[in-house]
Amino acid sequence: MEPDNRHTHRLPIREHVPEPPTGKRRWSWYGPGLLWMLSAVGTGSILFTPRVGSVYGYELLWLLLVVVFFMWVMIREMARFTIVTGRTILDGMSTLPGPKGWAIWLIFIPQLLAASVGIAGLSAVVGSAFAVSLPGSNQVYAELILLLCVVLTTTGQYGRVEQLSRYMAIVLMVIAVVSAVAVMPSLGTLGSGLVPQWPDDPDLYVIAPWVGTILAGSMGIVWFSYWTATRGYGGGLETREPRHGDDADDETDDEQASGTRPESECIEPAEPSAKEAPGDEPSRTRAIVSWLGTMTGAATLGVVGGGIVITAFLILGAELLGPAGIVPEGAAVAEDLTRLFSEVWGEAGRYLILVAIIVAIGGSVLANQDGWGRSFADMLLILSRSQRQSRQGSVYGAMRWATERTGWSFFRRRNLKRLFIITVTGLIPAVIVWIFEDPVQVMSVSGIIAAVHTPFIVLTALLVNLLRLPPGLRPGAFHIGAMSLSGLFYLGFAVLYFWNLATGQ
């Protein structure tokens, strides 16, 4: 039985650490930063950023830079825990003092809502792009996209689609930056946005979703630790708990050996033949510090590249949509967004952005279904760990009852992931799409949830790193201060939003 570390001061560092890359070899490890950027620069850039640019011009450019900096700090600290211990940050949160699993519950429940609303919004935006050029309702297309994505993610047959969406995301980013350069205002106009200021009549329904989705939502921050583990930073994930009987919660050995798992689920080191660092703790600590430095480079690449692309969309919104009085919204949101490229590239640009929305955001639906499904499965297994080990308790009983009646083991992470994909990111979003026709309205709710939930996730992760990591591997004063400021920043936004909501301002 795994010892209960909830009341001990620190967790042991990982037992096996590969030799960290040095020199030019580090560049080959920056992939997670690039891949994270491609998945992060999605709806927040294409939808919310042009809206903010159209309404406020460059008044909030400084705010964008602040959030990008905070995002760099946050994702780096999320990955720190995984690289040091070989466990996910969610697993780390389960070790905090207090009622068992309290931090996981406070992430799990709000994210169930965020996942359903977020997937519904993404699908609705893709449906809107189809409806621009094809006959039929955007809701029908959104439902078809949802069905297709659920089938692909539950069967694991989405690797090629995901790869195509990445290529299209790269094309979209390059063209967005080139288009922004073509309509670039004077440096004085752009530079005026670097001075902190606040709009005279701020609409937090426009601003809050944007802040909540710049580069990544609240769970997107957590997923960076999965990205680095997938790539094998520090050695990937280590065994979290032993398998026994019906509690074998991971993929089977056959699946791991055959390589049938999609890339986003692989947790083996990318270079399994690499030499291992010496086994004594001081040597492993030095190797982990080097791995943290490599991860910092990957995180920097991700946020800098993403920040450039988001700035480009802000410029396009301010220069092309603002003067025309267009604020992308409603069922025809994709039609409004076509002006971002058509004003520069003509009719070809119009169809290019439609294809980009369909492929890139369609790929985001797949990635988010996979990410949320995996995270929810992990959280449920963490919450039920002690009950599964003792084979008693309400959660264990429910899992056992469902397993016996369906013949589908709900003690396996793979099956739990499929269950959450089908229900939380499939059936419930389908109902939301059918009830609410406006993609912007749905996505705005998702973004607001992300902005409100981020401070809890960030500050809890900081607490885990301070309490559970050994002194030499804990965040230093700079990162403690930056993480605290980022949590307080999002908390302030949440308070401001709810205050305006309560007072009707």
Side-chain angles (χ1 to χ4, degrees):
M1 180 178 295
E2 185 175 293
D4 186 355
N5 293 308
R6 294 186 303 126
H7 301 292
T8 60
H9 185 63
R10 53 159 286 190
L11 294 171
I13 65 174
R14 59 171 65 246
E15 295 180 0
H16 306 285
V17 185
E19 284 285 356
T22 57
K24 294 182 179 180
R25 289 184 61 241
R26 280 195 169 193
W27 286 98
S28 65
W29 288 87
Y30 289 165
L34 177 61
L35 295 178
W36 181 83
M37 179 188 72
L38 294 177
S39 62
V41 181
T43 309
S45 302
I46 299 175
L47 178 58
F48 293 128
T49 303
R51 281 168 55 84
V52 169
S54 176
V55 176
Y56 299 110
Y58 302 106
E59 284 186 85
L60 298 177
L61 177 59
W62 65 273
L63 184 60
L64 167 61
L65 299 182
V66 168
V67 174
V68 167
F69 169 72
F70 283 150
M71 189 61 61
W72 175 79
V73 174
M74 291 186 294
I75 64 174
R76 187 182 181 279
E77 291 308 306
M78 292 293 171
R80 177 192 296 272
F81 181 83
T82 300
I83 292 175
V84 173
T85 67
R87 303 166 68 168
T88 68
I89 188 66
L90 294 174
D91 205 4
M93 291 178 181
S94 71
T95 70
L96 289 174
K100 185 173 293 186
W102 65 271
I104 304 299
W105 280 115
L106 290 178
I107 294 176
F108 188 27
I109 295 175
Q111 286 301 319
L112 289 173
L113 175 61
S116 297
V117 176
I119 294 295
L122 288 170
S123 303
V125 172
V126 177
S128 176
F130 272 112
V132 169
S133 302
L134 298 175
S137 165
N138 65 327
Q139 290 171 298
V140 172
Y141 290 120
E143 300 287 6
L144 292 175
I145 288 295
L146 270 173
L147 176 61
L148 176 62
C149 289
V150 166
V151 171
L152 291 174
T153 50
T154 53
T155 59
Q157 304 300 315
Y158 63 94
R160 292 182 179 178
V161 177
E162 190 177 35
Q163 190 175 37
L164 176 62
S165 71
R166 289 173 184 167
Y167 291 142
M168 183 54 69
I170 294 174
V171 172
L172 175 66
M173 293 175 188
V174 171
I175 294 180
V177 172
V178 173
S179 300
V181 171
V183 300
M184 180 83 72
S186 68
L187 292 180
T189 301
L190 195 62
S192 65
L194 299 178
V195 179
Q197 55 193 303
W198 195 244
D200 294 331
D201 186 23
D203 184 353
L204 289 183
Y205 186 73
V206 173
I207 300 174
W210 177 59
V211 171
T213 55
I214 290 177
L215 287 178
S218 49
M219 279 304 290
I221 301 168
V222 174
W223 291 340
F224 189 74
S225 70
Y226 281 88
W227 276 115
T228 50
T230 297
R231 186 65 175 84
Y233 279 67
L237 294 183
E238 295 185 344
T239 302
R240 283 155 288 188
E241 57 181 286
R243 304 181 186 207
H244 49 281
D246 57 10
D247 291 348
D249 62 352
D250 238 326
E251 294 83 2
T252 65
D253 292 330
D254 289 341
E255 288 169 326
Q256 294 185 28
S258 65
T260 56
R261 290 178 297 168
E263 179 186 356
S264 56
E265 284 191 59
C266 295
I267 58 175
E268 305 301 326
E271 297 184 2
S273 59
K275 293 182 179 180
E276 189 170 304
D280 59 284
E281 186 165 323
S283 297
R284 282 183 288 144
T285 298
R286 287 192 294 270
I288 288 173
V289 169
S290 181
W291 277 111
L292 290 174
T294 302
M295 178 272 294
T296 298
T300 302
L301 172 65
V303 298
V304 170
I308 291 173
V309 175
I310 295 176
T311 301
F313 275 103
L314 185 71
I315 293 171
L316 292 173
E319 297 298 321
L320 301 180
L321 301 184
I326 296 175
V327 181
E329 58 188 349
V333 60
E335 180 67 36
D336 294 336
L337 291 172
T338 58
R339 292 180 65 98
L340 297 177
F341 286 2
S342 64
E343 292 289 317
V344 179
W345 306 97
E347 193 68 8
R350 178 177 185 272
Y351 286 104
L352 177 62
I353 194 169
L354 288 176
V355 172
I357 290 173
I358 291 170
V359 178
I361 298 187
S364 293
V365 175
L366 290 170
N368 279 274
Q369 284 183 331
D370 176 76
W372 262 309
R374 181 176 59 248
S375 300
F376 291 147
D378 281 349
M379 284 188 270
L380 186 58
L381 288 169
I382 290 170
L383 291 169
S384 65
R385 179 179 294 158
S386 61
Q387 292 188 17
R388 288 182 291 113
Q389 291 173 344
S390 64
R391 295 180 179 271
Q392 57 183 346
S394 57
V395 177
Y396 170 81
M399 295 169 72
R400 188 70 186 166
W401 179 88
T403 297
E404 292 173 347
R405 279 156 181 76
T406 63
W408 204 32
S409 176
F410 286 94
F411 295 99
R412 292 185 180 274
R413 179 174 287 102
R414 177 186 57 189
N415 291 342
L416 283 174
K417 174 185 168 183
R418 289 173 176 171
L419 174 66
F420 284 116
I421 289 174
I422 292 171
T423 55
V424 177
T425 68
L427 294 176
I428 298 177
V431 174
I432 294 173
V433 166
W434 201 253
I435 294 175
F436 300 98
E437 186 179 1
D438 186 353
V440 178
Q441 182 183 33
V442 177
M443 281 305 304
S444 295
V445 173
S446 175
I448 291 168
I449 294 173
V452 170
H453 203 201
T454 296
F456 174 78
I457 292 178
V458 170
L459 295 176
T460 303
L462 176 61
L463 183 63
V464 169
N465 285 344
L466 291 176
L467 292 182
R468 297 299 178 234
L469 299 184
L473 295 170
R474 292 174 191 160
F478 171 78
H479 290 97
I480 293 173
M483 279 286 278
S484 300
L485 283 176
S486 65
L488 294 175
F489 168 82
Y490 280 96
L491 180 61
F493 242 95
V495 171
L496 182 61
Y497 175 77
F498 283 116
W499 172 260
N500 281 25
L501 191 66
T503 59
Q505 298 179 2

